[in-house]
Amino acid sequence: MSHITDLSFSELKKALNDRTLSSVEITSAFLDRIDALNPTLNAFITITRDEAMQAANDADTLISQGAGTPYTGLPIAHKDLFCTDGTLTTCGSKILSNFVAPYDAQVVSQCKNAGLVSLGKLNMDEFAMGSSNENSYYGPVKNPWDTTRVPGGSSGGSAAAVAANLTPLATATDTGGSIRQPAAFTGTSGLKPTYGRVSRFGMIAYASSLDQGGLIAQTAEDIAHGLGLIAGHDSRDSTSADQPVPDYTQTLNDSLKGKVIGIPKEFFDDRLDSAMRQAMNEVLDVLKSLGATTTEVSLEHVAEAIPAYYVIAPAEASSNLSRFDGVRFGYRADSPTDLMDLYERSRGEGFGSEVKRRILIGTYALSEGYYDAYYKKAQQIRRLIRDDFNRALGTCDLLFGPTTPSTAFVIGEKTADPVAMYLEDIYTVATNMAGLPGGSFQAPLINGLPTGYQLTGRAFGESMILNAAHQVQTVTDWHTLRPEGV
Amino acid sequence: MYEAVIGLEVHVQLSTDSKIFSGSSTHFGAEPNTQASLIDLGMPGVLPVPNAKAFEMAVKFGLAIDAEIGQESIFDRKNYFYPDLPKGYQISQFEKPIVGPGRVTISLDDGTTKTINVTRAHLEEDAGKSVHDAFDGMTGVDLNRAGTPLLEIVSEPELRSAKEAVAYLKVIHSIIRYLDISDGNMAEGSMRCDCNVSIRPKGSDTLGTRTEIKNVNSFRFVEKAINTEINRQIEILEDGGRVIQETRLYDPDKDETRSMRSKEEANDYRYFPDPDLLPVVLDDSFISACRDALPELPEARKARYINDYGITDYDAGVLVADRDVADYFADVANTSGEGKLAANWVMGSVLAELNQTGGAITDFAVTAKQLSDLIARIKDNTLNSKTAKTVFEALLASEGEVDAIIESKGLVQVTDTGAIEAIVDEVIAENPDQVANYRAAPEDKQGKMLGFFVGQVMKKSQGKANPQAVNQILSAKLSG
């Protein structure tokens, strides 16, 4: 048998259910690996060893009594923007570097209620703003495939931790690609559910109308298990959807025969890198071999998604981040002379440069005299994008494309050019604008580095995405490839 | 020579049990920060969940002023930094308020009425309070009030004097009390008023530059603040200056307004729809349920009182202005069966006492039952107006019930004609000159002269003689 930490979430579940492994064995194996590798990878901001071992002990007791849930005792780790009662919750920011949350996010409670054992809190771009995890106050996360490269962002800690087998399952969030892009860069599976599928209560907001919690794991099957735990209506989140949660594992093995996969021509124009095109074609060949058919579709306004996103998201962020003012919690500047000084220095010293950049962009976009030209226009574009997607998905079951333009880039390569960094999300942002579910799954390596393909589904069509990705994973081994040397 | 143009923005705290976006209590007067949940504190990650009760109250107000109800209204964020504003934005309504254009009618001093158009009324959350006097050299923040639902009612600039402004404010106050959507307590800040004031030459139809007087918290101060501001603006124009658009504060101690911030310093609030909240969609059944639940409103009650109790238009207007007073009056009138007497007593002794003490009728020492007992004893001639006053005073002092007071004070009216005749005879015997004068006077003068004898008889009876019987017997004996 392979080492415990090589096992996927589903495999660990089977081992626990069969009682071939205990939660204490599993948990301590992962904690030991975290201790060994985190100094190199910097995927975790906080490691909650004592709490995790206690929870694992409790889980084993429950299991021995035949109590608990089918998931009792399985490990997970949370992106550090999910509030965790009594544990540091930093959002990757200096301004929350002393913030111990007084409550659990809904996602965190759901995981606790299912019996999952939390290993700790995962590194991320500050306030989920970034595509490389270089914007964290706690330093960059390294890509386990090549530690000179970025793991993607903003859920870089989640992706790197799963890729390096530091946790079999990680929560993550996606506002413009922050689950899918790091999943693609690290050879993991990641799913951003439909907007409203997972409660945002306790998830520190970046851009409220786009933020959505999701998961990163080794396989689509793992995600199917995890999504069943965190999806569902929450009366504390007015935007959460009151829709039944299906058993996502039940449909994983449905046949793809007759399923129609739409290929947006805008994602395959001549700007697409030839190696990436080849990798995508390999995946498409597999999907076709499984019985799916493909058809070209057009997402006419998708090119406008990035500019519109960089109005809407910063606008919402500029308001969402106003509560970090040094008054009630978080970082406060030393000896402020008056109220303005307290505000200016607490925020000036507490926020990093990318966060400040987006607050400024958003403040500008909402200002009197500019609102109609920027914010309203961006919302109009957003509606057009949503219409494009809904039209395409009227005739297709899924849309297919690359997750990213290229493989993981080198740390520092794009930090001087914010716009180049923003273009990292060119294939992912539109899905958030449309509020639809999107997943990124392992495609063939390019030059030894992972790539991902993206599936976008209809609203609440997570089952279809996971079904297709699982079918591909049953006949390919791209998802089993692990970085060497870590 | 000048005409004032006034519009009011009235903030009414809605009397929901819990806050507009959290489950915390809205009860006034608790220890600082004991009624502030994670949501009210604006903790990272928390989200607002709207309180449907606030929608219901806003819709009822809209229906009461005959307004358009926004079937879809939207919550927006009003962004600004202040320590008592935990999120750095206030959730309010900007482009699509829940209540659209409506109107109210005010009564003017000359007996005419005037319709004042209401532009809109929207829901928003209240901020907390900065406490400047609790810590030496520091400011404290109390977030108990943060998130209390407010209905902001905005009038058109159609008011032309401080008196009209107060009349309008009183009508709004009356409506919210009738609807029972707020306690309307201005001293506790449950109802606050911003006054937009400008002046222009009479007859002009262009508007002058306006100033906004923030947070005036009593009817009296609204009147004084507006008059003070009108005079200030007139003085500026008379001196050849110009009024600056700015926000001002009224200082009741000095009876002056002073500048708070100018337009240039004003915030750009960067309103945009709150992405944490869905548009509020009110369906017809919700609106019609609110309509069905509307209580009788002041205008309707006034008409009914005139009809049912036979009281004057003026009296009815005074009595219905306050819902509790109106209820008290109706209680007295129904129990005693004497509408006019009840109106006289409530408008006279009762309201005079309340005005003097500043108390509320709901805590009034004389219950409606006691007052109707008193009226019954007047009606059955046990008491006359003088002894009735004595009993009322005793009721105010909580000396017991009406009959017990009459008994213990020996106030039973003397209606026994024999006893009165004896006193009349005594008075006639003691005042031979006045009797002679009376008898010598022409008949049309005698009526007036009779008063002297009545007074003497009442005095001798210690006020207990029935005045009608006294009159009758006196005129008979004097003319005989």
Side-chain angles (χ1 to χ4, degrees):
Chain A
M1 178 174 165
S2 52
H3 191 267
I4 291 173
T5 55
D6 293 339
L7 299 174
S8 72
F9 188 76
S10 308
E11 290 163 341
L12 290 164
K13 175 175 178 284
K14 186 168 186 306
L16 257 183
N17 296 163
D18 295 347
R19 309 214 183 167
T20 52
L21 286 173
S22 72
S23 179
V24 166
E25 286 172 300
I26 293 170
T27 305
S28 59
F30 278 102
L31 286 167
D32 291 348
R33 188 166 168 88
I34 292 167
D35 285 346
L37 293 181
N38 199 54
T40 308
L41 297 175
N42 199 27
F44 279 80
I45 291 173
T46 304
I47 302 158
T48 51
R49 174 177 276 274
D50 293 347
E51 295 89 332
M53 288 311 297
Q54 182 61 51
N57 261 308
D58 295 347
D60 283 336
T61 307
L62 279 176
I63 292 166
S64 70
Q65 293 164 349
T69 83
Y71 298 94
T72 297
L74 285 165
I76 191 168
H78 296 294
K79 185 175 181 179
D80 208 17
L81 53 57
F82 288 98
C83 285
T84 42
D85 193 0
T87 302
L88 197 63
T89 300
T90 70
C91 227
S93 181
K94 181 179 179 184
I95 212 159
L96 285 178
S97 54
N98 61 0
F99 178 65
V100 176
Y103 73 105
D104 278 331
Q106 171 70 358
V107 163
V108 172
S109 328
Q110 284 166 305
C111 290
K112 267 189 190 170
N113 293 341
L116 298 189
V117 172
S118 173
L119 303 172
K121 305 295 290 291
L122 296 161
N123 205 344
M124 56 182 284
D125 279 305
E126 184 178 5
F127 283 99
M129 299 179 190
S131 306
S132 67
N133 219 120
E134 290 166 290
N135 296 336
S136 170
Y137 173 64
Y138 294 90
V141 176
K142 311 289 169 56
N143 192 322
W145 291 79
D146 174 351
T147 53
T148 67
R149 292 178 186 271
V150 303
S154 65
S155 309
S158 306
V162 170
N165 296 345
L166 306 186
T167 181
L169 183 67
T171 56
T173 61
D174 189 317
T175 307
S178 283
I179 289 176
R180 292 159 287 158
Q181 184 250 18
F185 276 10
T186 57
T188 53
S189 294
L191 180 76
K192 179 205 95 75
T194 311
Y195 183 79
R197 179 71 293 182
V198 171
S199 170
R200 292 187 298 115
F201 188 84
M203 206 177 95
I204 300 175
Y206 157 27
S208 312
S209 73
L210 299 159
D211 292 345
Q212 181 57 210
L215 297 163
I216 293 177
Q218 290 184 14
T219 68
E221 184 186 3
D222 293 355
I223 290 175
H225 283 290
L227 185 60
L229 304 180
I230 66 167
H233 181 243
D234 179 7
S235 59
R236 296 177 300 175
D237 174 0
S238 306
T239 62
S240 114
D242 199 356
Q243 289 266 342
V245 179
D247 181 344
Y248 298 103
T249 63
Q250 284 300 303
T251 43
L252 288 172
N253 289 311
D254 288 1
S255 166
L256 296 186
K257 280 202 175 59
K259 298 295 178 196
V260 181
I261 303 205
I263 316 291
K265 63 179 184 191
E266 291 80 4
F267 290 171
F268 289 89
D269 64 14
D270 49 18
R271 285 172 295 181
L272 183 64
D273 173 79
S274 62
M276 186 63 79
R277 181 186 305 270
Q278 198 189 320
M280 292 304 111
N281 284 335
E282 281 189 55
V283 179
L284 276 176
D285 287 344
V286 174
L287 281 164
K288 285 182 209 166
S289 75
L290 291 163
T293 59
T294 61
T295 181
E296 187 180 272
V297 295
S298 174
L299 301 171
E300 217 184 310
H301 301 92
V302 80
E304 318 302 330
I306 289 268
Y309 172 87
Y310 276 100
V311 170
I312 293 170
E316 293 181 7
S318 71
S319 174
N320 282 334
L321 270 58
S322 294
R323 68 187 62 196
F324 305 103
D325 58 5
V327 174
R328 295 167 316 287
F329 46 74
Y331 175 80
R332 175 187 289 182
D334 275 338
S335 337
T337 54
D338 58 20
L339 182 62
M340 280 314 286
D341 187 48
L342 168 75
Y343 284 155
E344 287 174 5
R345 283 201 292 119
S346 298
R347 290 168 66 80
E349 295 162 15
F351 288 136
S353 58
E354 183 58 29
V355 171
K356 287 180 194 166
R357 181 179 293 121
R358 295 196 197 188
I359 289 174
L360 287 173
I361 293 171
T363 303
Y364 181 82
L366 290 175
S367 295
E368 209 175 324
Y370 298 97
Y371 179 80
D372 287 351
Y374 292 105
Y375 188 79
K376 275 211 162 155
K377 182 74 94 190
Q379 290 291 10
Q380 286 162 357
I381 292 170
R382 182 178 189 168
R383 273 190 289 279
L384 294 173
I385 292 169
R386 189 180 303 158
D387 293 346
D388 283 351
F389 271 91
N390 288 337
R391 201 175 306 119
L393 285 162
T395 53
C396 304
D397 295 288
L398 291 169
L399 302 180
F400 175 93
T403 307
T404 60
S406 62
T407 54
F409 48 91
V410 171
I411 293 172
E413 188 182 324
K414 297 192 177 183
T415 42
D417 185 353
V419 175
M421 191 73 92
Y422 295 171
L423 290 173
E424 270 304 302
D425 294 333
I426 193 156
Y427 299 121
T428 48
V429 153
T431 313
N432 300 76
M433 300 286 267
L436 297 174
S440 176
F441 304 95
Q442 297 89 337
L445 302 185
I446 297 177
N447 296 330
L449 288 173
T451 59
Y453 67 93
Q454 181 178 208
L455 295 173
T456 304
R458 296 178 185 144
F460 304 100
E462 287 83 0
S463 293
M464 183 70 244
I465 294 173
L466 294 170
N467 168 209
H470 179 70
Q471 287 305 299
V472 172
Q473 289 176 347
T474 55
V475 295
T476 58
D477 65 356
W478 304 316
H479 64 288
T480 65
L481 302 177
R482 285 279 153 282
E484 286 166 22
V486 290
Chain B
M1 146 149 222
Y2 288 102
E3 172 183 64
V5 177
I6 302 159
L8 298 187
E9 291 167 23
V10 183
H11 293 84
V12 173
Q13 264 185 10
L14 299 178
S15 53
T16 52
D17 294 333
S18 57
K19 293 186 178 179
I20 185 166
F21 299 117
S22 84
S24 311
S25 166
T26 52
H27 184 72
F28 179 82
E31 283 294 301
N33 297 311
T34 55
Q35 288 177 181
S37 68
L38 296 175
I39 291 160
D40 308 318
L41 290 167
M43 287 306 254
V46 298
L47 296 169
V49 175
N51 180 347
K53 196 76 190 163
F55 300 160
E56 187 187 314
M57 290 180 170
V59 168
K60 281 183 177 174
F61 177 79
L63 293 170
I65 63 162
D66 197 20
E68 291 168 24
I69 305 299
Q71 299 212 322
E72 184 187 276
S73 65
I74 288 178
F75 283 108
D76 296 279
R77 292 186 183 177
K78 179 180 179 178
N79 294 282
Y80 65 96
F81 284 97
Y82 206 69
D84 63 20
L85 188 71
K87 298 186 293 295
Y89 58 85
Q90 178 193 30
I91 304 176
S92 181
Q93 296 189 308
F94 187 56
E95 277 189 11
K96 286 188 161 186
I98 189 162
V99 176
R103 62 205 57 80
V104 300
T105 304
I106 62 171
S107 297
L108 304 181
D109 278 354
D110 63 6
T112 61
T113 60
K114 179 175 174 180
T115 298
I116 304 297
N117 286 294
V118 173
T119 317
R120 57 185 281 161
H122 65 256
L123 285 168
E124 60 185 26
E125 57 178 345
D126 209 344
K129 272 183 188 161
S130 295
V131 183
H132 298 293
D133 52 4
F135 309 97
D136 189 34
M138 290 193 285
T139 295
V141 176
D142 176 9
L143 294 176
N144 282 354
R145 200 180 67 179
T148 300
L150 292 179
L151 186 65
E152 180 176 337
I153 304 155
V154 182
S155 84
E156 289 292 314
E158 294 173 349
L159 302 158
R160 291 291 173 265
S161 69
K163 274 203 159 31
E164 285 188 20
V166 172
Y168 166 82
L169 198 56
K170 284 190 169 165
V171 170
I172 296 293
H173 187 262
S174 178
I175 291 170
I176 61 167
R177 289 298 305 127
Y178 268 72
L179 295 172
D180 201 17
I181 58 174
S182 171
D183 65 21
N185 187 329
M186 293 189 80
E188 285 180 3
S190 312
M191 179 162 150
R192 311 191 286 273
C193 183
D194 298 343
C195 314
N196 288 293
V197 179
S198 66
I199 58 167
R200 63 184 175 193
K202 239 197 167 91
S204 163
D205 55 4
T206 53
L207 290 169
T209 305
R210 69 185 164 88
T211 60
E212 181 179 13
I213 315 167
K214 278 274 180 203
N215 266 336
V216 192
N217 66 357
S218 81
F219 294 117
R220 199 159 61 90
F221 290 164
V222 166
E223 183 164 352
K224 291 178 78 171
I226 290 174
N227 279 331
T228 304
E229 180 59 18
I230 290 171
N231 290 334
R232 190 188 70 88
Q233 293 188 10
I234 289 174
E235 267 179 44
I236 290 173
L237 295 188
E238 297 280 278
D239 290 350
R242 60 182 191 90
V243 175
I244 304 164
Q245 185 174 341
E246 62 183 351
T247 304
R248 301 182 68 85
L249 271 183
Y250 176 67
D251 179 346
D253 295 331
K254 296 185 177 155
D255 191 24
E256 63 178 27
T257 65
R258 54 170 179 267
S259 181
M260 214 171 126
R261 57 172 180 263
S262 73
K263 191 192 173 192
E264 286 69 35
E265 299 165 75
N267 283 307
D268 175 357
Y269 290 120
R270 308 193 311 280
Y271 282 100
F272 75 106
D274 190 334
D276 288 334
L277 292 162
L278 303 173
V280 181
V281 179
L282 303 173
D283 56 30
D284 291 339
S285 66
F286 180 84
I287 296 171
S288 65
C290 289
R291 195 187 300 276
D292 293 345
L294 280 185
E296 184 184 39
L297 291 163
E299 283 299 310
R301 192 180 286 211
K302 183 176 162 186
R304 182 164 67 81
Y305 280 12
I306 293 170
N307 185 54
D308 289 5
Y309 301 117
I311 59 177
T312 64
D313 185 276
Y314 174 82
D315 287 0
V318 173
L319 288 168
V320 303
D322 181 308
R323 183 185 185 172
D324 293 326
V325 171
D327 286 343
Y328 181 92
F329 159 75
D331 209 350
V332 175
N334 292 336
T335 313
S336 66
E338 292 294 324
K340 280 182 186 164
L341 267 177
N344 290 343
W345 275 91
V346 174
M347 291 173 62
S349 308
V350 174
L351 289 184
E353 179 66 22
L354 288 175
N355 283 341
Q356 208 181 346
T357 59
I361 192 144
T362 43
D363 307 323
F364 193 53
V366 183
T367 64
K369 170 78 172 62
Q370 289 173 329
L371 186 55
S372 54
D373 287 348
L374 179 64
I375 288 170
R377 290 289 164 266
I378 296 169
K379 197 63 196 162
D380 71 8
N381 285 327
T382 308
L383 297 173
N384 58 41
S385 58
K386 188 162 185 287
T387 47
K389 274 261 184 264
T390 309
V391 174
F392 186 77
E393 297 293 328
L395 289 171
L396 271 180
S398 303
E399 289 175 21
E401 295 305 317
V402 171
D403 286 340
I405 292 168
I406 291 171
E407 179 81 36
S408 69
K409 293 197 184 286
L411 295 175
V412 179
Q413 182 163 247
V414 179
T415 46
D416 168 11
T417 37
I420 296 175
E421 267 181 45
I423 302 172
V424 168
D425 290 340
E426 248 178 74
V427 169
I428 288 175
E430 285 166 10
N431 298 285
D433 295 349
Q434 280 85 349
V435 172
N437 284 345
Y438 178 90
R439 287 182 174 152
E443 208 172 316
D444 60 333
K445 295 269 170 70
Q446 285 181 336
K448 247 187 182 170
M449 297 170 78
L450 193 66
F452 165 77
F453 300 101
V454 174
Q456 295 296 312
V457 174
M458 292 307 286
K459 200 169 164 187
K460 275 187 185 284
S461 76
Q462 290 161 313
K464 290 186 284 188
N466 179 322
Q468 279 167 311
V470 172
N471 265 313
Q472 224 171 2
I473 293 165
L474 258 177
S475 17
K477 292 214 178 227
L478 283 170
S479 55

